[in-house]
Amino acid sequence: MLTQAPKGTSDILPESSGKWQYLEGLFRDICRRYGMKEIRTPMFEHTELFIRGVGDTTDVVEKQMYSFDDLAGRNITLKPEGTSPVARALVENGLYAQMQPTKLFYITPCFRYEKMQKGRYRQFHQFGVEVFGTMSPLADAEVVSIAADMLEALGMKEIELRINSIGCPTCRAKHREALKEFLADKYDELCETCKGRFNKNPMRILDCKSEKCQKLVEGAPLMLDYLCDDCKDHFEEFKSILDDMGIEYIVDPGIVRGLDYYSKTAFEFISVKQMAQGTVCGGGRYDHLVEDIGGPEVPGVGFGMGIERLILMLEQEGIEIPSEDPADYAIITMGDEARSAGISLARKLRKDGYQVQVDMMNRNFKNQFKYANKIKAKYAIIIGEDEVKNGTYNVKNMETGEQKTLTQGEL
Ligand code: ATP
Ligand code: MG
């Protein structure tokens, strides 16, 4: 127990943290190109925020939250997703009252008590973006475009964008009735969770992961056929902007998303291999979330991209992420005086921005060389008695084997 991390969590070890940093850097850079600014919200929130925000008929709220009472008896939840906390921060800090739109991105861990599987963990990480304060379909398209840019920049090919519109509360009401009518005589066969959803939120049934429910909803009425004029126009313009942007998509009426707050646009980037955990990025528009959590009427649109799934899919496509960061210099010394000179030189080189490794293991001369090879140092700086006497350094290019004697100035 003591030396085992809790189920569903994992350590990001030095051998892969370089990959994470690369992906994070790329994401930050792409967000910057769109003028998105970073927001960092706390790791936990009042549980009520997620019940109201994510919705109490969702898998997340029904069975996946890490909730507990703190010592003062407040009910607290580790964030299972990033959007509700950002919406809370928008309201609390009055960001909606500044010049609009508000364009935000974040990189955050999320916590969900789920059954552990490949691509499904209890602590996972997301890249997220949210654009608040505009109903314009251009916001939806820019959000999609950020995710598309990210996947394209990484060279991913076996992935497709699926889009849908799940309407607004007005047109969804009609669809809801049609759906209930369709499911009425199948009610007894629904899973227990979906029986509960039947009255509260039947559209959730379309997103049930149980195979039986998946079968039962085959042929169910499609939200796309029930869109009101406003939602229809929005969806048409969204598609036409994606066309302008040269982003390919498939209209898939089955995309309903797992959280309650979505309206109009819903989208997912999924693996073409149709794996069980094949959604790398999901998002959509949420025009009522801010109101639902007690704020003013502020529309929004955004996505969450699972970083672990992104890495899995990159591996599946055989795409290597640059992650090595070898030392510029390994300092190799013989004798105490040389060691002092080496330590002093290392500090100077590091101040100039170089990565420098100095022996800490009391290795002999030969083994210091072995180590320099092992860590793939670009240069070895060899300091022996002569070098100390003359104030010079013997610099060896570890790739070509070429050696030069340099003064400190020359170095
Ligand atoms: P799924 O249908 O796979 O359960 P979801 O609808 O619950 O996904 P969102 O809440 O939209 O997912 O989260 C956005 C993204 O975060 C997902 O597309 C996925 O890449 C990732 N994700 C969600 N849950 C997990 C998890 N438990 N472990 C790892 N990644 C996850
Ligand atoms: Mg889920």
Side-chain angles (χ1 to χ4, degrees):
M1 275 287 265
L2 272 182
T3 53
Q4 214 166 39
K7 206 167 163 182
T9 69
S10 50
D11 302 305
I12 298 168
L13 296 172
E15 66 202 36
S16 51
S17 56
K19 268 186 206 178
W20 282 73
Q21 286 168 11
Y22 177 83
L23 293 173
E24 288 162 3
L26 180 64
F27 180 65
R28 282 174 193 284
D29 186 46
I30 291 171
C31 286
R32 188 193 58 79
R33 298 177 211 177
Y34 288 79
M36 316 287 293
K37 298 278 187 271
E38 184 175 9
I39 183 163
R40 302 187 191 193
T41 67
M43 219 44 75
F44 55 85
E45 296 277 351
H46 295 294
T47 299
E48 195 58 25
L49 173 69
F50 299 111
I51 295 179
R52 294 281 206 88
V54 175
D56 55 8
T57 58
T58 58
D59 279 354
V60 169
V61 170
E62 276 179 338
K63 47 193 184 198
Q64 299 175 346
M65 294 209 296
Y66 277 93
S67 302
F68 57 94
D69 286 336
D70 73 6
L71 293 179
R74 296 178 198 91
N75 200 248
I76 293 293
T77 294
L78 300 184
K79 63 166 121 166
E81 57 102 40
T83 306
S84 312
V86 172
R88 196 263 314 135
L90 177 98
V91 176
E92 183 169 351
N93 300 289
L95 303 184
Y96 60 86
Q98 300 170 3
M99 184 82 90
Q100 294 302 297
T102 306
K103 298 163 82 172
L104 304 170
F105 79 88
Y106 53 82
I107 303 176
T108 187
C110 295
F111 306 87
R112 295 185 192 176
Y113 193 77
E114 297 208 64
K115 217 165 116 206
M116 250 287 290
Q117 294 162 60
K118 197 168 187 190
R120 194 175 290 287
Y121 312 104
R122 293 185 175 173
Q123 175 174 341
F124 62 100
H125 299 78
Q126 280 188 356
F127 293 132
V129 312
E130 318 287 354
V131 176
F132 289 95
T134 174
M135 303 277 251
S136 168
L138 176 58
D140 308 48
E142 283 209 359
V143 161
V144 166
S145 158
I146 290 176
D149 286 358
M150 181 82 191
L151 302 173
E152 245 173 68
L154 290 166
M156 293 182 74
K157 301 215 163 55
E158 294 164 8
I159 212 122
E160 58 195 23
L161 166 61
R162 306 224 166 180
I163 62 170
N164 188 22
S165 174
I166 55 170
C168 61
T170 319
C171 52
R172 214 178 298 162
K174 278 191 218 136
H175 175 252
R176 181 191 159 102
E177 287 319 307
L179 192 57
K180 280 176 79 172
E181 207 169 297
F182 175 85
L183 288 171
D185 59 348
K186 304 181 172 67
Y187 179 85
D188 291 336
E189 294 170 70
L190 292 171
C191 74
E192 286 312 306
T193 318
C194 285
K195 281 189 176 134
R197 291 165 170 163
F198 183 82
N199 280 313
K200 283 196 273 181
N201 189 352
M203 189 138 81
R204 292 251 49 74
I205 299 174
L206 300 178
D207 198 43
C208 183
K209 298 279 188 295
S210 114
E211 253 176 57
K212 202 161 163 223
C213 293
Q214 283 289 318
K215 272 241 135 49
L216 290 173
V217 299
E218 269 174 30
L222 303 177
M223 187 59 230
L224 275 184
D225 297 328
Y226 287 80
L227 295 181
C228 62
D229 287 345
D230 178 41
C231 288
K232 214 182 279 171
D233 290 349
H234 193 275
F235 192 51
E236 288 309 313
E237 199 177 334
F238 170 56
K239 287 189 290 182
S240 117
I241 299 172
L242 289 180
D243 293 337
D244 290 342
M245 288 174 161
I247 294 175
E248 285 177 33
Y249 55 84
I250 296 168
V251 175
D252 179 350
I255 302 286
V256 294
R257 307 295 306 119
L259 314 178
D260 263 2
Y261 48 60
Y262 289 108
S263 54
K264 291 193 168 73
T265 311
F267 66 87
E268 292 186 2
F269 285 86
I270 60 180
S271 158
V272 294
K273 295 193 169 144
Q274 305 280 336
M275 307 172 297
Q277 269 70 51
T279 304
V280 62
C281 174
R285 177 163 278 283
Y286 44 85
D287 289 340
H288 307 284
L289 171 64
V290 178
E291 265 174 285
D292 288 348
I293 61 163
E297 244 177 78
V298 182
V301 56
F303 71 68
M305 181 181 286
I307 307 181
E308 284 83 358
R309 287 204 196 162
L310 179 64
I311 292 175
L312 272 176
M313 289 181 192
L314 285 164
E315 281 167 7
Q316 253 149 13
E317 288 203 36
I319 297 169
E320 290 267 349
I321 308 172
S323 69
E324 278 195 356
D325 182 18
D328 298 298
Y329 297 105
I331 293 188
I332 295 175
T333 61
M334 203 166 13
D336 289 344
E337 274 181 79
R339 185 170 157 80
S340 294
I343 290 169
S344 146
L345 175 67
R347 182 118 204 276
K348 291 190 185 101
L349 290 170
R350 285 171 179 154
K351 277 189 181 157
D352 286 340
Y354 295 105
Q355 186 192 137
V356 187
Q357 295 269 13
V358 186
D359 174 54
M360 287 185 182
M361 306 302 295
N362 267 324
R363 290 189 172 93
N364 64 28
F365 190 72
K366 192 174 133 212
N367 286 338
Q368 288 182 50
F369 249 111
K370 267 197 190 156
Y371 181 69
N373 263 318
K374 176 102 184 136
I375 63 172
K376 299 189 177 135
K378 292 170 200 151
Y379 294 94
I381 299 181
I382 303 146
I383 312 176
E385 258 171 55
D386 285 353
E387 284 79 14
V388 172
K389 220 185 301 155
N390 305 330
T392 56
Y393 304 103
N394 183 355
V395 181
K396 179 175 179 185
N397 181 323
M398 297 295 279
E399 204 180 325
T400 62
E402 188 192 352
Q403 291 203 25
K404 267 186 189 158
T405 301
L406 302 175
T407 63
Q408 199 183 107
E410 288 168 332
L411 186 68

